[in-house]
Amino acid sequence: HLGYGDGPLSAGGNAAQGKPHFGADDNGSGTTGLLELARRFGSMKERRGRRIVFVAFSGEERGLLGSAHYCKNPVFPLKDTVAMINLDMVGRLRDDAKLKKPNLEIGGIGSAKNFETLIDDLNKKYDFNIKKTRSGTGPSDHTSFYVKSVPVFFFFTGMHPEYHLPT
């Protein structure tokens, strides 16, 4: 994820230097989610509906390199892309201590007319403690799509003390 912890994005001080920074939550959890969704949708016999494109980007920590490249060279025209759903750091779903509900942050709620209503309606079933952000920009790959006028969702389970550490 970040190599051996000797670059500008390394974390953890001297104790972490020279150790592999795997990125199990950032970015491994999103990749795992992407693969599981692809497996589930791919196993649906005679699935109908919109085309779903599953893409794992590289170089996000170095400046959204993979997603920016894709947006310049899309497999399918961006004008035909209905939405981009970004799963980045979704591996640490934790309950809110007071509410006893899992905390989930969702960005991009304001990037399409019906996104907030869609999330509110779905959450009636799942009952997450959702922190919504209207903006479609942020420190992850969805930004590359949003600046190209593609509506986005950014799912995130929050920061934690092991962010960018080899642990």
Side-chain angles (χ1 to χ4, degrees), residues 1-12 16-24 26-28 58-63 89 162-166:
H1 175 60
L2 293 177
Y4 283 93
D6 55 0
L9 295 173
S10 64
Q17 295 295 314
K19 294 180 182 174
H21 286 53
F22 298 109
D26 180 19
N27 184 349
S58 184
E60 181 252 332
E61 300 289 355
R62 304 272 183 228
M89 285 185 63
E162 293 180 319
Y163 176 63
H164 280 188
L165 292 178

Side-chain angles (χ1 to χ4, degrees), residues 80-166:
D80 297 334
T81 302
V82 174
M84 187 277 198
I85 299 172
N86 185 12
L87 306 174
D88 187 2
M89 285 185 63
V90 292
R92 301 275 181 118
L93 191 63
R94 296 157 289 192
D95 280 354
D96 180 275
K98 292 179 185 175
L99 300 175
K100 305 294 187 214
K101 295 179 180 185
N103 289 316
L104 181 62
E105 297 180 32
I106 305 176
I109 295 291
S111 66
K113 290 179 187 175
N114 63 338
F115 274 9
E116 187 164 18
T117 302
L118 176 67
I119 291 298
D120 290 344
D121 289 347
L122 285 169
N123 198 40
K124 289 175 187 171
K125 178 178 179 181
Y126 297 101
D127 201 28
F128 286 98
N129 178 39
I130 297 178
K131 177 185 174 190
K132 301 175 199 171
T133 305
R134 297 197 61 74
S135 176
T137 62
S140 193
D141 291 306
H142 60 285
T143 297
S144 297
F145 288 79
Y146 182 73
V147 299
K148 297 289 186 178
S149 300
V150 175
V152 297
F153 274 131
F154 173 46
F155 289 87
F156 180 66
T157 56
M159 293 299 294
H160 51 78
E162 293 180 319
Y163 176 63
H164 280 188
L165 292 178

Side-chain angles (χ1 to χ4, degrees), residues 22-49:
F22 298 109
D25 189 21
D26 180 19
N27 184 349
S29 61
T31 302
T32 301
L34 174 112
L35 291 171
E36 180 60 14
L37 287 169
R39 184 190 69 78
R40 288 183 185 213
F41 278 102
S43 69
M44 292 179 177
K45 296 188 183 335
E46 300 181 40
R47 188 189 82 75
R48 299 193 194 292

